[in-house]
Amino acid sequence: MKDEYKKATFAGGCFWCSEADFEKHKGVINIISGYSGGNKKNPSYEEVCSRKTGHRESIQVIYDPKKINYNNLLEIFWKHIDPTDDNGQFVDRGNQYTTAIFYHNKEQKKLAEKFKKELEESGKYSIPIVTEIIKFKNFYSAEDYHQDYHKKYPIEYKIYRKGSGRDHYIE
């Protein structure tokens, strides 16, 4: 990773969908699907799905801050999740699919908290926003077959995405 690039880590439910949503934006250099926030080192997909690791499906975004800033990434994140769901996202249920922003430094924390507060005060949601803002502690890449899933398996991905309810919610 070049020194001028930065990292952001988000848990937005299914990492296949999060990856696809972020990669469309200029300045996003790379996105890695993986697991973050738990205690098990190098967990497998099956272990994360067991709900015993504490990890959430997450993405790590490598970005060029000269082309896209952290606030832009926050905006993308909040637009593609249901921040009021405390048991997963859309069709995916369980803690491993709950939303979170894993901040890497004080500036990211400050911006994430500010964005969340503005969203809470906007009146857009009539129930509490439950998306957590958590200090980053780890990230483990998911298995290769999860990386760029929407590109490797476009038909399967489109079927999953449509059936998940995410796009209906976003609209």
Side-chain angles (χ1 to χ4, degrees):
M1 185 173 105
K2 291 184 181 179
D3 288 341
E4 66 265 21
Y5 295 162
K6 295 192 177 192
K7 288 182 185 177
T9 306
F10 302 101
C14 170
F15 47 38
W16 299 341
C17 294
S18 295
E19 185 178 308
D21 291 336
F22 274 85
E23 82 163 17
K24 302 171 191 171
H25 299 274
K26 186 177 178 181
V28 171
I29 306 302
N30 191 23
I31 301 172
I32 304 161
S33 288
Y35 314 109
S36 195
N39 297 315
K40 171 103 172 72
K41 290 184 180 180
N42 297 310
S44 68
Y45 178 72
E46 290 75 18
E47 289 172 320
V48 172
C49 287
S50 77
R51 302 179 186 184
K52 295 177 182 173
T53 67
H55 286 290
R56 299 170 200 218
E57 283 198 12
S58 304
I59 58 167
Q60 194 153 80
V61 180
I62 311 301
Y63 67 100
D64 183 344
K66 293 177 186 163
K67 296 179 180 174
I68 190 168
N69 64 40
Y70 189 69
N71 267 333
N72 299 135
L73 297 176
L74 288 170
E75 186 174 343
I76 296 164
F77 172 75
W78 289 109
K79 283 184 176 180
H80 290 92
I81 63 164
D82 175 356
T84 65
D85 191 339
D86 64 358
N87 191 32
Q89 286 292 286
F90 313 107
V91 73
D92 296 311
R93 310 315 299 156
N95 186 66
Q96 73 273 26
Y97 295 111
T98 56
T99 59
I101 298 167
F102 297 99
Y103 63 88
H104 289 256
N105 56 48
K106 289 178 185 178
E107 181 66 14
Q108 284 187 354
K109 179 183 182 184
K110 182 179 110 181
L111 292 171
E113 287 174 343
K114 180 177 184 275
F115 207 115
K116 181 177 177 179
K117 184 177 182 196
E118 288 172 0
L119 192 58
E120 288 170 332
E121 292 173 350
S122 74
K124 181 175 181 173
Y125 299 100
S126 60
I127 57 177
I129 292 174
V130 296
T131 299
E132 295 182 272
I133 299 171
I134 304 167
K135 183 174 177 49
F136 176 84
K137 67 178 181 177
N138 55 33
F139 181 85
Y140 301 100
S141 294
E143 296 79 357
D144 285 343
Y145 69 92
H146 286 299
Q147 308 302 328
D148 295 315
Y149 188 89
H150 63 289
K151 292 177 184 174
K152 292 177 187 172
Y153 310 102
I155 294 170
E156 293 87 345
Y157 172 72
K158 286 177 185 172
I159 292 168
Y160 166 79
R161 176 92 184 208
K162 183 174 180 162
S164 76
R166 184 181 292 260
D167 287 337
H168 178 72
Y169 174 84
I170 291 170
E171 290 170 17

